[in-house]
Structure formats: C-alpha cells, structure tokens
Amino acid sequence: MTEIKGSCGCGTVRFALTAPPKMMATCHCSRCRKFGASTFVMVDAKTFRWEAGQDAVATLEAKTPYKYNRNFCGVCGTALGEVLSEGEMFPVAANCLDADPGVRTAFHEFVGEKPAWYDVCDDAKQFEGHPEL
C-alpha cells in the first residue's frame, strides 16, 4: 500500500498514514460542524507518522458537554481531528487527507443536531447521539 499523505491548508502540518484508516464516519454535532471537521477517519496510532509541523498544532480543550479535544493548525486554522491524541486509535479529519483513504462513511452520529439544510445522502447507519456499535 502506498502511504496516504495528509496536511493542513497551508502545508505547515504534514503527516502520513502507513496503513489505511480503520473506518470513516460523519459527526453532525454543532461543535464538529463549526470546526469544519465533520467527516473523520479512525487511524491506528502505530500507522500515523509526523512529517512536519507537530509543534504548530494547537489544541482546543473540550468543555462539558463535550469530551474530546480538537486539534488545529496554529498557522492556518485547518481542523485536524485529534492528531495529538495519545490513544491507540484516534480520529483524523478526512478533509486533511491528500488521497482516497479507501474507506467510506460507516455511520452518521448526532443526526439529532444535524441542520435542516443538510441531507444525509447515503445508506450508512444513523445515530441520534454517540453510536451504539
């Protein structure tokens, strides 16, 4: 498999995935939508490699009712997902990937917060809140 490269909009933050993501999903909560990172891929931490810009990543700490921090490029503001996570798996914003990740949306979460103007146009499973997988 060829590596999947990823980056922020200005190119300061760059990374590579050495294996395909485990899955893709879309979150419709207002927080993810406003941060511009609704569709994400879950990656195994062992397959994520920094190429540049780790020191340029900024973190927005989660406040209740949210529990996940969000990472952004501190230069251009591109939403990155949770690339500074210390977990074994973590989400990376699909918008940062430079090639087809080889996975498609498995589910939509927080469809109860989805705006009326957005139509889910696939057959992926839908959850009102966090998924019950």
Side-chain angles (χ1 to χ4, degrees):
M1 181 208 124
T2 304
E3 290 185 333
I4 300 169
K5 302 286 187 174
S7 63
C8 66
C10 71
T12 298
V13 175
R14 295 189 314 274
F15 58 88
L17 304 179
T18 59
K22 299 294 184 185
M23 58 148 258
M24 178 183 281
T26 300
C27 181
H28 298 281
C29 80
S30 61
R31 185 173 181 236
C32 284
R33 283 187 287 109
K34 289 181 183 215
F35 292 149
S38 293
T39 300
F40 59 92
V41 294
M42 291 300 292
V43 300
D44 184 328
K46 292 179 274 190
T47 69
F48 184 91
R49 186 184 73 238
W50 285 104
E51 294 195 337
Q54 184 175 4
D55 59 337
V57 176
T59 300
L60 177 66
E61 300 287 332
K63 292 186 171 93
T64 305
Y66 303 106
K67 58 184 180 177
Y68 300 109
N69 295 335
R70 294 293 182 246
N71 299 137
F72 302 86
C73 172
V75 176
C76 69
T78 298
L80 302 168
E82 297 173 34
V83 295
L84 295 181
S85 174
E86 294 180 5
E88 291 180 20
M89 290 192 68
F90 55 86
V92 171
N95 56 285
C96 293
L97 301 178
D98 298 328
D100 185 344
V103 293
R104 297 296 181 262
T105 301
F107 64 84
H108 294 266
E109 62 183 355
F110 290 95
V111 294
E113 294 184 34
K114 179 183 74 58
W117 52 260
Y118 184 89
D119 294 322
V120 174
C121 298
D122 61 35
D123 295 328
K125 193 162 184 169
Q126 296 183 27
F127 298 93
E128 286 295 310
H130 283 291
E132 301 158 8
L133 301 176

